[in-house]
Amino acid sequence: MERAFGRHDQHRPRPSDMASIRQIEANRSNAKRSTGPKTAGGKARSSCNALRHGLARSDITDPAEAENLAVAIARGIGHPVTPDAAMALARSKLALLRIRSLRQAILGALLTSPLAPDLKGLRGLERYDRAALVQQRRTLRLLSFERK
């Protein structure tokens, strides 16, 4: 007997979920009109969208600062640690410090201007904060396995 809401039903598209030929043609027509910025100024502005705070870049840490912290972490843990694991933990710690510093700056701006547009940015920092915390937990878990 097949269940009404089983796992297999979730992956089968229903006819009502599928786009009609008219919808597909309309989507293609609309896509031709929305191709992004046309002017040089608009292109320059949109090219900086991902660089507002730099947190999305993978190389956000100063290599010397990360190396010094990784060495300190490796010494302070008390058991042999691979350089990669120490560096991963150092990078996640530095990312967390940077995120918290940005958060503090945004909150400071909100104190001077309660209607600051940075309120949206404050919510956006949560994504990067969670990612850095996940990386830190993953590395700490690896370090605990190395010790065993």
Side-chain angles (χ1 to χ4, degrees):
M1 183 174 152
E2 195 172 327
R3 295 181 359 208
F5 296 103
R7 289 175 99 179
H8 303 289
D9 294 336
Q10 294 172 354
H11 298 291
R12 278 190 236 145
R14 296 185 303 243
S16 62
D17 292 341
M18 298 173 71
S20 69
I21 300 297
R22 282 182 58 198
Q23 286 173 322
I24 292 170
E25 289 172 358
N27 288 344
R28 286 182 182 153
S29 170
N30 290 336
K32 287 178 186 174
R33 284 184 275 142
S34 57
T35 57
K38 304 274 189 233
T39 65
K43 290 178 182 182
R45 236 183 353 267
S46 71
S47 70
C48 294
N49 283 346
L51 302 175
R52 287 193 184 144
H53 45 63
L55 293 173
R57 294 184 3 220
S58 60
D59 60 343
I60 61 173
T61 58
D62 175 25
E65 183 182 27
E67 183 66 33
N68 291 339
L69 185 58
V71 168
I73 287 171
R75 285 186 191 146
I77 290 202
H79 61 82
V81 177
T82 63
D84 290 341
M87 183 59 83
L89 188 56
R91 284 190 181 129
S92 65
K93 288 291 190 186
L94 290 171
L96 284 168
L97 285 171
R98 190 168 293 107
I99 291 163
R100 289 173 182 163
S101 174
L102 279 170
R103 183 180 291 125
Q104 187 176 13
I106 291 171
L107 289 172
L110 285 173
L111 288 174
T112 60
S113 172
L115 299 175
D118 289 338
L119 192 57
K120 184 179 177 184
L122 188 62
R123 210 171 351 138
L125 285 178
E126 295 303 316
R127 169 184 170 208
Y128 300 103
D129 195 33
R130 279 193 307 270
L133 283 170
V134 165
Q135 181 61 41
Q136 176 182 299
R137 277 190 222 114
R138 186 177 298 138
T139 306
L140 288 171
R141 206 175 310 125
L142 286 173
L143 289 173
S144 70
F145 285 129
E146 286 179 4
R147 198 164 94 176
K148 292 179 182 179

